[in-house]
Amino acid sequence: MKFKRAIILSAGFGKRLRPLTDKIPKPLVKINNITLLENTLRFLKKLGVQEIAINVHYLAEQVIHFLKSFDNEYNIKIFKEEKILGTGGGILNCLPFFLDEKFIAINCDTIWNTQYEEPINILSTELEKEKSSIGLLVIEKNKSFDERLKGDFSRDSTNPNLLVRNDKAKNYLIYTGFQIIEPKVFQKTKLTTFSMNEVWNKAIKERKLIGQTQAGFTTFYHITDYEIYNKIKNQKITNF
């Protein structure tokens, strides 16, 4: 399934990447001489996304200036947050942009490459099959370059398409930073500043949170902090 619209979440402070992010925002950090933001833009283009929302807050003007060079290549709408709204609030603030259609929400601190395309297509199919409004791309902990990352989810024992949350030590699936969302998941939401964890937890209770990964997946590269950045920047990442 092709998606017309997506949001790249780019408003965060990037505190764990300090001192790198003292003067530049996390989306403009470079790996293999390509900013994390440009890598994400390229990936969305491969997925067929035509229109992209980008929320900004910390060092926002740097991100806005950077995006001007892509005016002829991407149809971008910038949403500037005067105060940071959190991952859930940031998406909710952009909701009219998506015209009540399913859309992609993506973080730019993962190194996106072609190995993600197949599981994303499967995730889209499973969402339709399960009649769910939200699905996450996840990966097994043992596929993470950063071995310190703890699991976020496990699979439901009766339906392996569904995600659940157990005791933290038992969760073995990591959220990659990619999700497919139907706007109606925000119905009855009264908060303006909140984390997507609140939306996910509600979906888990309703047995509606879908998760997808892929058996042949190789390595999950995520720019967790300054230490991991210094290790990843020297890696040769294929299909980048």
Side-chain angles (χ1 to χ4, degrees):
M1 179 177 180
K2 295 294 184 181
F3 293 88
K4 294 180 180 178
R5 295 175 177 86
I7 178 172
I8 303 175
L9 297 170
S10 305
F13 294 101
K15 293 179 180 179
R16 289 178 294 181
L17 272 173
R18 289 177 175 168
L20 199 62
T21 49
D22 284 341
K23 294 184 178 180
I24 61 171
K26 181 169 64 175
L28 300 189
V29 168
K30 290 184 177 181
I31 296 289
N32 292 2
N33 294 316
I34 300 173
T35 66
L36 297 175
L37 182 53
E38 182 175 354
N39 169 248
T40 308
L41 286 168
R42 289 182 180 184
F43 181 68
L44 289 174
K45 190 173 185 178
K46 289 179 181 177
L47 295 180
V49 174
Q50 299 170 356
E51 300 181 53
I52 301 170
I54 298 179
N55 68 328
V56 295
H57 174 74
Y58 177 64
L59 299 177
E61 296 307 319
Q62 288 190 37
V63 179
I64 293 169
H65 177 75
F66 175 80
L67 289 170
K68 287 181 180 178
S69 62
F70 295 94
D71 282 347
N72 295 327
E73 191 173 355
Y74 300 93
N75 187 352
I76 295 173
K77 170 74 172 177
I78 295 172
F79 291 82
K80 189 173 182 179
E81 299 176 7
E82 296 305 321
K83 66 173 185 177
I84 202 158
L85 299 174
T87 51
I91 296 173
L92 179 62
N93 185 52
C94 303
L95 216 57
F97 176 81
F98 302 110
L99 304 178
D100 207 31
E101 298 176 357
K102 281 184 180 176
F103 61 93
I104 291 167
I106 188 170
N107 300 345
C108 59
D109 44 9
T110 291
I111 308 300
W112 301 106
N113 56 37
T114 55
Q115 68 176 336
Y116 292 95
E117 293 181 32
E118 184 177 349
I120 285 171
N121 289 331
I122 297 172
L123 175 61
S124 178
T125 300
E126 292 301 326
L127 275 175
E128 298 296 327
K129 176 182 173 182
E130 298 286 348
K131 297 181 180 179
S132 178
S133 298
I134 185 165
L136 313 182
L137 192 63
V138 293
I139 192 70
E140 291 89 351
K141 282 198 300 183
N142 62 7
K143 299 292 180 66
S144 176
F145 179 82
D146 183 355
E147 297 177 352
R148 305 166 306 167
L149 288 181
K150 299 185 184 302
D152 301 300
F153 302 98
S154 300
R155 293 205 177 279
D156 183 82
S157 59
T158 59
N159 184 346
N161 284 330
L162 296 178
L163 296 177
V164 296
R165 276 180 159 156
N166 295 314
D167 179 88
K168 288 184 178 181
K170 296 180 181 179
N171 288 329
Y172 59 92
L173 296 172
I174 298 170
Y175 171 55
T176 63
F178 183 100
Q179 54 189 318
I180 298 172
I181 303 171
E182 193 169 344
K184 70 179 182 180
V185 300
F186 294 101
Q187 286 178 351
K188 300 180 181 179
T189 300
K190 296 181 180 179
L191 298 174
T192 56
T193 302
F194 60 97
S195 166
M196 277 302 293
N197 276 295
E198 297 191 28
V199 178
W200 298 343
N201 290 338
K202 182 175 182 293
I204 288 172
K205 288 181 181 179
E206 296 172 351
R207 294 181 57 79
K208 287 292 183 181
L209 186 63
I210 305 300
Q212 179 60 45
T213 187
Q214 183 180 2
F217 200 94
T218 55
T219 305
F220 171 58
Y221 292 101
H222 179 269
I223 312 300
T224 314
D225 55 24
Y226 189 64
E227 177 186 347
I228 288 298
Y229 164 77
N230 281 316
K231 292 179 179 179
I232 289 180
K233 72 179 183 180
N234 296 318
Q235 296 294 308
K236 185 177 180 181
I237 304 174
T238 57
N239 302 317
F240 180 62

